[in-house]
Amino acid sequence: MADEDAGVSHETAAPDAAAPPATIQAVPLRHPGRWIAAVILVIVVALFVYGAATNPAYRWDIYGKYLFDRRIAQGAVVTLELTVLAMVIAVVLGVLLTVMRLSPNPVLRSAAWVYLWVLRGTPVFVQLVFWGLFPAIYKTIQVGIPFGGPHFAQWDVQDWSQPFFFAVIGLGLNEAAYMAEIVRAGVSSVGDGQREASIALGMSWGQTMRRTVLPQAMRVIIPPTGNELISMLKTTSLVTAIPLTTDLYGRARDIYGINFQPIPLLLVSATWYLAVTSVLMVGQFYLERYYSRGVSRQLTARQLRALMQTQAQAVGK
């Protein structure tokens, strides 16, 4: 009888042991601090927008009048030209300075170090002032044998008295000092094994840098270079030290020097700067994503779709 009772109890206990576990009711974590901060931020932004919209000092009518003025648009084009030309000089010279810094030649290393020390150690505004005074400092430039020897070539610097030319030179040479450090950081990120493998294949030091190191260093170089490009666009407003007044800020300053409305004209120039930098930031995003392929383990949406299609075809077979 006891055996029968034990058997019955064993049979009744078996279904309970095989029953699935109860469903866990997951409760999302509450973040009241985030909501409070968001509400406060929205209120502050709304108050600022309302105050700016109702403040007569902003003169929104003047802002709308000059936002798409032909002179402002021409100034924006000049600003873009300054940015592109100066960055081309900076990138080319920055790569050259990096090669000099990493060269086994001590003379090249010392010359590159002095260049970086001087250009990074002095304000860009002061440098632009000196470039504006360059025709007054040097009347002519002569190439030849010094101390009364014959001259092979001679240039009259007074013929170069073009503010745009000196603005590009000043901005490009200053930015090259920073680009040199960016490129050097990218080159240093490449492992020594890559250089050793290139040398084992019979490449020279220059071929190793050009064919092996620099292409791999682009992943590290591109993001800060994009930031420097955006910074250069805004730094062009300092060319007033040359003086150059055909850029975006210079045009706005000339206009409010006539109508005595600096606030709306400054807002106009700020809007143009913000619009151009926004476009550059979008381009920087896609360029960074292009050079970061294969680095991150996170799959993109396109890669996930391709993986799902491959798995679906494998299951169908």
Side-chain angles (χ1 to χ4, degrees):
M1 209 51 196
D3 295 339
E4 294 178 358
D5 294 339
V8 172
S9 62
H10 178 73
E11 292 175 0
T12 57
D16 295 335
T23 304
I24 299 176
Q25 298 296 331
V27 179
L29 184 62
R30 302 290 191 269
H31 297 282
R34 297 181 182 179
W35 289 100
I36 295 174
V39 170
I40 294 175
L41 182 61
V42 169
I43 293 175
V44 172
V45 172
L47 291 175
F48 174 78
V49 172
Y50 176 77
T54 57
N55 192 337
Y58 285 100
R59 296 298 305 270
W60 294 110
D61 55 335
I62 303 295
Y63 171 84
K65 177 182 178 181
Y66 288 101
L67 181 60
F68 298 104
D69 187 84
R70 179 178 57 85
R71 292 167 292 179
I72 297 295
Q74 291 176 348
V77 173
V78 173
T79 296
L80 288 174
E81 293 174 350
L82 285 171
T83 303
V84 173
L85 294 176
M87 283 304 298
V88 169
I89 295 175
V91 171
V92 174
L93 186 56
V95 172
L96 179 61
L97 288 170
T98 300
V99 174
M100 294 172 63
R101 285 290 306 273
L102 301 177
S103 172
N105 190 329
V107 177
L108 295 179
R109 290 201 309 268
S110 301
W113 184 88
V114 171
Y115 181 93
L116 299 181
W117 173 57
V118 173
L119 272 296
R120 295 178 63 191
T122 54
V124 60
F125 188 85
V126 176
Q127 296 176 27
L128 291 175
V129 170
F130 270 103
W131 280 108
L133 296 174
F134 190 84
I137 299 174
Y138 299 99
K139 304 297 182 180
T140 59
I141 296 179
Q142 299 174 347
V143 177
I145 300 176
F147 307 111
H151 298 151
F152 306 115
Q154 180 175 333
W155 296 275
D156 188 1
V157 180
Q158 302 301 317
D159 296 337
W160 300 354
S161 298
Q162 299 295 329
F164 183 87
F165 173 77
F166 287 110
V168 170
I169 296 299
L171 292 173
L173 295 183
N174 176 266
E175 183 61 29
Y178 297 92
M179 284 302 305
E181 292 299 292
I182 291 174
V183 176
R184 187 173 67 88
V187 170
S188 300
S189 66
V190 180
D192 293 336
Q194 301 291 329
R195 299 184 181 88
E196 295 173 357
S198 300
I199 295 174
L201 292 175
M203 293 186 184
S204 63
W205 185 84
Q207 292 175 333
T208 301
M209 294 292 296
R210 186 174 64 254
R211 299 180 180 179
T212 305
V213 177
L214 287 178
Q216 297 184 61
M218 293 301 294
R219 177 178 57 85
V220 179
I221 295 173
I222 288 297
T225 302
N227 295 334
E228 290 296 319
L229 176 63
I230 295 173
S231 178
M232 173 62 70
L233 177 74
K234 295 176 289 185
T235 306
T236 55
S237 61
L238 298 178
V239 295
T240 180
I242 295 294
L244 177 65
T245 60
T246 57
D247 66 307
L248 177 57
Y249 172 68
R251 290 295 189 182
R253 190 182 58 176
D254 290 342
I255 295 174
Y256 74 67
I258 298 174
N259 61 12
F260 302 103
Q261 297 292 337
I263 296 177
L265 268 301
L266 290 176
L267 290 175
V268 168
S269 60
T271 303
W272 276 88
Y273 281 119
L274 183 61
V276 177
T277 53
S278 300
V279 174
L280 294 178
M281 290 172 65
V282 173
Q284 179 187 4
F285 168 77
Y286 284 103
L287 193 61
E288 289 180 12
R289 192 173 69 173
Y290 174 79
Y291 280 103
S292 297
R293 294 178 302 174
V295 177
S296 176
R297 295 184 179 181
Q298 184 179 1
L299 299 179
T300 62
R302 182 178 179 181
Q303 292 171 335
L304 288 173
R305 287 195 299 268
L307 180 61
M308 292 176 61
Q309 292 176 359
T310 304
Q311 292 178 348
Q313 294 175 358
V315 172
K317 294 180 180 179

